[in-house]
């Protein structure tokens, strides 16, 4: 364990709360201590209230904040003495506890305080730090966990048996702390859950955490239970793997009742783990700390039989639900973690971000399981305890906080010619609706065009079948499949009359605008066919299809060919629940092609001002890339659910088309 504490940085903090933020972030940046919203911290501060009286406040981490990125506003100020009074009640229901926490804050805009707030309040130290340190749970999740913890830490820690977080845990900690703490006590271990440290200063509390976890690490190292270098593995790749991924995603989405992202993590480490002969034992015990269950479910799925997994999940629910205090409705019975000898680790979520959180958690869980196994056997909490957290209203609230999912959440779209103009606008419209988007372009700038976990930019020459199928494999590895395909890439060569049009030029246009799209459609078909809500293809065509212009023979013929290809596809693919529609934009000037100079020259050629030229259509309106992209996105949505084989102008009205 490494302490990141820097006295100079701490001295630059202007008050205790800022120092609390500083050391909370130090904890948060070490992923072996806390992951994605796990852990919490607090500081007790005396402040003057509105009457000018001194008042003791507990600033405790607010729910929904990550320690790594927390700010002063992420701490909820709760009246300390009130919390300490609450701790003496014989019982307090979860909803009432949350009500009491929220109504005894001194800032209306503060976040909901951590459910562990009362526990923080009863510990008689200004600073309290709590983590789910890998090294600690590696030891507590073993058959002799408690004895080992006592052996390592002696009287420096108070040991608390597992109790679900909330009021009962706070009360138990208060009792045990009063009875068992002594002059050497610097922390508290919560078996199968995590560890607390505390101190008079931010530095003392933080460094105690580091040293306590460091002792656990040292113990694991001494007992040959620290590092397990994976053996070199053959990582299966290629089209068969991509199709297996898409089939897995289709099956999981079906059981979930909504489309999901499935991200594959296949490397020496995950494959070594998934291929272990004892995998069916070690990976089927339960999560390392109970709050992981809301992300990962209690157990990973071994192999790809989603129906059997769902059946077992229903049995788990049916067995434990009657023991719950109130009636619960079952969550979807689909897995979130898949361990497969060929696929490695697959992480599942409603979004790419959710899937990545699952992967991070399981990455640490593999370490914890391997270490605990080396110590004598990984033993997680009984299913009942995990169920209670999985179906705990307060944990469910954390997930619900995400609000209503955007239209294309969990769906995957691929856009060609995505680096500029209409293609780029299509990427934006799809991202704005929550889709995971794969952007392909010949231009390398596509790779870093957008940030965010829902975006994957790949440089790709669409006339190369090999490059495209590689890009497709890469996309499926990242997101699990394909739901929407936007065929946008194309070239528009300069004007040339037929008598001067050479065969090479003609073939080049046909090759890019027509042949490449046939290859794309053919290669994407097996994936679109597996799309949970049905596959959708939108072809970005041209006004030139219904109303060709002189001097653009190759372009007009290629786009007309593509239009006809799309219509045939609509006929052939309807049975596969794939819709395919075309858009015919005209005079979209906000693209790279149309510089100010070109626009001015063209306008002058027709004796029009630039504005007149841009709005030279029936509605006298300007058509932008964004307009085209928005219509494309709607064509992929429920509004067009019963439309296929259509071709729709988006041109402000053109008298030749009408
Ligand atoms: Zn905790």
């Amino acid at each position: 364990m490494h302490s990141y504490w820097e006295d100079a940085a701490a001295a630059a903090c202007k008050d205790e709360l800022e120092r609390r933020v500083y050391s909370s972030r130090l904890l948060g940046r070490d992923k072996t201590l806390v992951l994605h919203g796990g852990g919490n911290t607090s500081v007790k501060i005396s402040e003057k209230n509105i009457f000018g009286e001194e008042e003791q406040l507990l600033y405790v981490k607010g729910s929904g904040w990550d320690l790594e990125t927390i700010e002063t506003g992420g701490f909820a100020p709760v009246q300390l003495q009130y919390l300490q009074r609450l701790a003496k009640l014989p019982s307090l229901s979860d909803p009432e506890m949350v009500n009491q926490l929220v109504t005894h804050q001194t800032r209306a805009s503060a976040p909901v305080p951590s459910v562990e707030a009362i526990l923080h309040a009863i510990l008689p130290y200004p600073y309290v730090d709590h983590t789910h340190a890998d090294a600690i749970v590696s030891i507590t999740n073993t058959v002799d966990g408690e004895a080992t913890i006592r052996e390592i830490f002696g009287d420096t820690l108070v040991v608390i048996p597992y109790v679900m977080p909330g009021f009962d845990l706070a009360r138990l900690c208060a009792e045990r702390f009063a009875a068992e703490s002594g002059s050497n006590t610097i922390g508290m271990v919560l078996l199968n859950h995590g560890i607390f440290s505390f101190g008079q200063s931010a530095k003392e509390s933080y460094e105690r955490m580091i040293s306590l976890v460091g002792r656990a690490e040292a113990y694991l190292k001494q007992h040959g239970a620290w590092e397990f270098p994976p053996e070199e593995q053959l990582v299966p790749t290629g089209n068969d793997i991509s199709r297996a991924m898409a089939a897995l995603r289709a099956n999981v989405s079906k059981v979930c009742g909504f489309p999901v992202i499935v991200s594959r993590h296949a490397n020496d480490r995950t494959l070594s783990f998934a291929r272990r002969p004892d995998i069916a034992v070690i990976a089927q015990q339960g999560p390392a700390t109970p709050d992981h269950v809301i992300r990962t479910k209690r157990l990973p799925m071994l192999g790809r039989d989603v129906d059997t997994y769902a059946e077992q999940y229903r049995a788990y629910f049916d067995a434990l639900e009657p023991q719950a205090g109130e009636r619960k409705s079952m969550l979807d019975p689909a897995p979130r973690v898949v361990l497969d000898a060929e696929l490695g680790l697959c992480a599942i979520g409603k979004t790419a971000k959710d899937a990545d959180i699952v992967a991070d958690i399981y990455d640490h869980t593999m370490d914890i399981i391997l270490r605990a196994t080396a110590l004598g056997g990984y033993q997680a909490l009984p299913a009942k305890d995990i169920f209670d957290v999985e179906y705990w209203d307060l944990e469910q609230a954390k997930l619900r906080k995400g609000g209503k999912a955007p239209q294309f959440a969990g769906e995957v779209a691929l856009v060609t010619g995505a680096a500029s103009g209409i293609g780029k606008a299509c990427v934006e419209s799809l991202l704005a609706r929550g889709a995971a988007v794969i952007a392909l372009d010949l231009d390398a700038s596509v790779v870093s065009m957008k940030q965010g976990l829902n975006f994957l930019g790949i440089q790709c020459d669409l006339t190369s079948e090999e490059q495209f199928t590689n890009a497709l494999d890469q996309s499926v590895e990242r997101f699990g499949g394909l739901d929407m395909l936007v065929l946008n890439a194309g070239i528009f060569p300069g004007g040339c009359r037929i008598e001067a049009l050479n065969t090479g030029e003609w073939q080049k246009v046909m090759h890019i605008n027509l042949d490449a799209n046939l290859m794309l459609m053919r290669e994407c078909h097996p994936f679109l066919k597996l799309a949970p809500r049905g596959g959708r293809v939108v072809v970005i065509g041209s006004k030139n299809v219904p109303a060709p212009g002189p001097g653009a023979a190759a372009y007009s013929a290629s786009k007309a060919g593509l239009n006809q290809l799309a219509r045939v596809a609509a006929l052939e693919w309807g049975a596969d629940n794939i819709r395919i529609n075309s858009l015919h934009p005209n005079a979209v000037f906000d693209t790279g092609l149309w510089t100010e100079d070109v626009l001015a020259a063209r306008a002058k050629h027709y004796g029009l001002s630039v504005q007149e030229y841009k709005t030279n259509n029936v509605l006298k309106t300007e058509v932008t890339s964004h307009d085209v992209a928005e219509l494309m996105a709607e064509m992929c949505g429920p509004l067009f659910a019963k439309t296929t084989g259509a071709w729709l102008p988006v041109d402000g009205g053109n008298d030749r088309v009408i």
Side-chain angles (χ1 to χ4, degrees):
M1 284 306 294
H2 177 73
S3 168
Y4 293 106
W5 186 273
E6 283 176 29
D7 283 329
C13 297
K14 73 175 192 304
D15 56 24
E16 295 296 298
L17 184 58
E18 281 199 1
R19 255 185 297 284
R20 176 68 283 178
V21 170
Y22 170 68
S23 71
S24 300
R25 288 184 174 191
L26 297 187
L27 293 175
R29 68 190 259 192
D30 189 335
K31 300 297 165 213
T32 68
L33 292 176
V34 292
L35 276 176
H36 301 293
N40 44 56
T41 57
S42 68
V43 58
K44 301 177 181 78
I45 296 174
S46 179
E47 274 179 18
K48 276 200 171 52
N49 66 18
I50 194 94
F51 305 107
E53 302 153 354
E54 284 295 326
E55 189 174 35
Q56 291 281 317
L57 298 176
L58 176 80
Y59 275 88
V60 64
K61 193 196 94 160
S63 151
W65 285 81
D66 270 354
L67 288 180
E68 188 179 12
T69 51
I70 199 161
E71 296 162 16
T72 52
F75 283 91
V78 199
Q79 292 169 329
L80 180 64
Q81 274 150 2
Y82 192 83
L83 289 174
Q84 289 164 344
R85 267 187 81 189
L86 286 178
K88 296 202 173 80
L89 286 171
S91 68
L92 188 61
S93 72
D94 293 330
E96 188 53 45
M97 179 183 75
V98 173
N99 181 46
Q100 293 298 324
L101 296 180
V102 172
T103 53
H104 289 82
Q105 301 192 99
T106 58
R107 197 177 73 236
S109 61
V112 176
S114 159
V115 295
E116 282 163 330
I118 297 176
L119 204 171
H120 283 256
I122 55 104
L123 292 168
Y125 296 87
Y127 283 85
V128 176
D129 293 24
H130 168 50
T131 71
H132 302 153
D134 289 357
I136 297 291
V137 294
S138 297
I139 295 168
T140 66
N141 283 307
T142 55
V143 184
D144 293 323
E146 181 173 353
T148 311
I149 288 289
R150 290 188 191 276
E151 177 196 336
I152 300 168
F153 295 104
D155 61 355
T156 53
L157 290 181
V158 172
V159 179
I160 310 287
Y162 178 78
V163 169
M164 193 167 131
F167 183 74
D168 293 345
L169 175 62
R171 262 196 61 123
L172 179 68
C173 289
E175 279 168 32
R176 291 286 175 108
F177 186 82
E180 294 173 24
S181 68
S183 54
N184 289 333
T185 306
I186 57 171
M188 203 159 66
V189 155
L190 277 52
L191 296 176
N192 302 92
H193 174 167
I195 179 168
F196 280 79
S197 65
F198 23 74
Q200 295 301 327
S201 66
K203 183 178 183 178
E204 186 175 58
S205 187
Y206 171 75
E207 293 204 321
R208 282 175 172 177
M209 176 65 73
I210 300 303
S211 95
L212 288 167
V213 178
R215 282 163 73 176
E217 274 193 21
Y219 181 91
L220 289 164
K221 283 177 187 162
Q222 279 161 20
H223 291 77
W226 183 245
E227 267 180 323
F228 303 91
E231 281 169 30
E232 209 174 298
Q233 303 286 335
L234 191 71
V235 181
T237 55
N239 195 255
D240 288 350
I241 288 294
S242 297
R243 289 191 188 206
M245 283 287 294
L248 172 66
R249 173 173 175 261
N251 292 337
V252 171
S253 298
K254 198 169 140 207
V255 169
C256 280
F258 48 83
V260 291
I261 299 295
V262 182
S263 286
R264 181 183 184 216
H265 301 261
N267 49 49
D268 289 347
R269 193 171 136 73
T270 57
L271 286 165
S272 291
F273 190 78
R275 290 170 180 174
R276 279 179 65 111
D278 59 354
I279 190 68
V281 177
I282 62 170
Q284 297 292 290
Q285 301 300 312
T289 187
D291 80 343
H292 288 169
V293 70
I294 61 167
R295 297 286 187 181
T296 61
K297 290 268 164 85
R298 189 173 84 88
L299 301 175
M301 176 168 79
L302 304 180
R304 301 174 211 165
D305 185 351
V306 183
D307 288 337
T308 300
Y309 182 94
E311 223 170 86
Q312 287 165 353
Y313 185 88
R314 287 189 194 97
Y316 152 80
F317 181 84
D318 291 343
L320 294 168
E321 195 271 344
Q323 299 174 42
E326 71 259 20
R327 300 286 60 80
K328 308 282 183 188
S329 27
M330 197 182 75
L331 299 165
D332 73 76
R336 295 297 183 273
V337 177
V338 179
L339 295 169
D340 181 88
E342 273 191 311
L343 301 179
L345 166 70
C346 296
I348 297 164
K350 281 185 180 172
T351 63
K353 186 181 171 196
D354 286 346
D356 286 357
I357 289 175
V358 169
D360 278 350
I361 290 175
Y362 210 77
D363 189 46
H364 286 263
T365 304
M366 288 191 295
D367 275 337
I368 292 162
I369 290 175
L370 292 175
R371 288 170 189 163
T373 302
L375 270 194
Y378 179 67
Q379 188 181 62
L381 286 166
K384 163 89 175 72
D385 290 312
I386 302 302
F387 179 90
D388 288 346
V389 173
E390 186 176 4
Y391 282 89
W392 189 21
D393 276 348
L394 303 184
E395 286 287 9
Q396 294 297 301
K398 280 190 202 169
L399 288 183
R400 278 195 300 268
K401 247 178 95 179
K404 194 172 173 286
Q407 185 178 8
F408 293 148
E411 296 199 283
V412 186
L414 188 152
V415 180
T416 66
S420 62
I422 292 172
K424 189 175 180 184
C426 288
V427 170
E428 283 159 2
S429 291
L430 290 161
L431 284 173
R433 285 166 174 79
V437 181
I438 302 136
L440 302 188
D441 205 291
L442 200 52
D443 189 330
S445 70
V446 76
V447 173
S448 53
M449 186 177 95
K450 296 277 167 197
Q451 301 300 313
L453 299 171
N454 260 350
F455 177 79
L456 177 64
I458 305 172
Q459 186 182 16
C460 180
D461 177 354
L462 297 175
T463 62
S464 159
E465 192 169 323
E466 192 193 351
Q467 282 191 32
F468 178 71
T469 51
N470 286 341
L472 197 55
D473 287 342
Q474 198 185 331
S475 308
V476 174
E477 181 123 345
R478 176 69 183 106
F479 296 128
L482 185 64
D483 303 85
M484 294 168 268
L485 172 64
V486 182
L487 298 175
N488 167 68
I491 54 167
F492 184 85
C496 178
R497 291 175 61 85
I498 290 167
E499 58 270 33
L501 183 58
N502 75 54
T503 307
E505 184 65 19
W506 167 268
Q507 285 174 337
K508 185 179 161 204
V509 175
M510 286 295 167
H511 195 41
I512 295 170
N513 290 4
L514 188 56
D515 304 354
N517 283 317
L518 168 72
M519 183 273 291
L520 260 74
M521 286 166 67
R522 185 186 65 223
E523 296 303 318
C524 290
H525 175 259
F527 299 99
L528 293 167
K529 198 176 158 180
L530 289 169
R533 287 183 181 147
R536 284 138 286 166
V537 182
V538 177
V539 175
I540 307 296
S542 166
K543 177 222 73 174
N544 278 32
V545 173
Y555 179 78
S556 301
S558 70
K559 287 287 188 180
L562 178 58
N563 198 66
Q564 202 71 343
L565 176 64
R567 293 172 72 203
V568 175
L571 291 170
E572 291 184 358
W573 292 358
D576 299 325
N577 197 21
I578 301 170
R579 302 190 278 110
I580 175 159
N581 294 296
S582 298
L583 277 179
H584 292 319
N586 187 34
V588 177
F589 296 117
D590 61 343
T591 65
L593 218 61
W594 292 90
T595 60
E596 299 275 319
D597 291 346
V598 174
L599 253 178
R602 295 310 296 163
K604 199 171 162 213
H605 178 80
Y606 289 102
L608 300 170
S609 71
V610 168
Q611 190 53 28
E612 283 166 346
Y613 181 67
K614 279 184 174 176
T615 59
N616 190 18
N617 53 48
V618 172
L619 294 170
K620 301 284 173 232
T621 187
E622 189 180 340
V623 181
T624 64
S625 296
H626 178 70
D627 296 325
V628 180
E630 287 292 294
L631 190 53
M632 172 285 302
E634 287 306 322
M635 282 183 138
C636 293
L639 207 58
F640 282 76
K642 308 206 171 159
T643 301
T644 191
W647 25 328
L648 200 63
V650 47
D651 57 7
N654 181 295
D655 49 13
R656 286 183 56 217
V657 173
I658 294 168

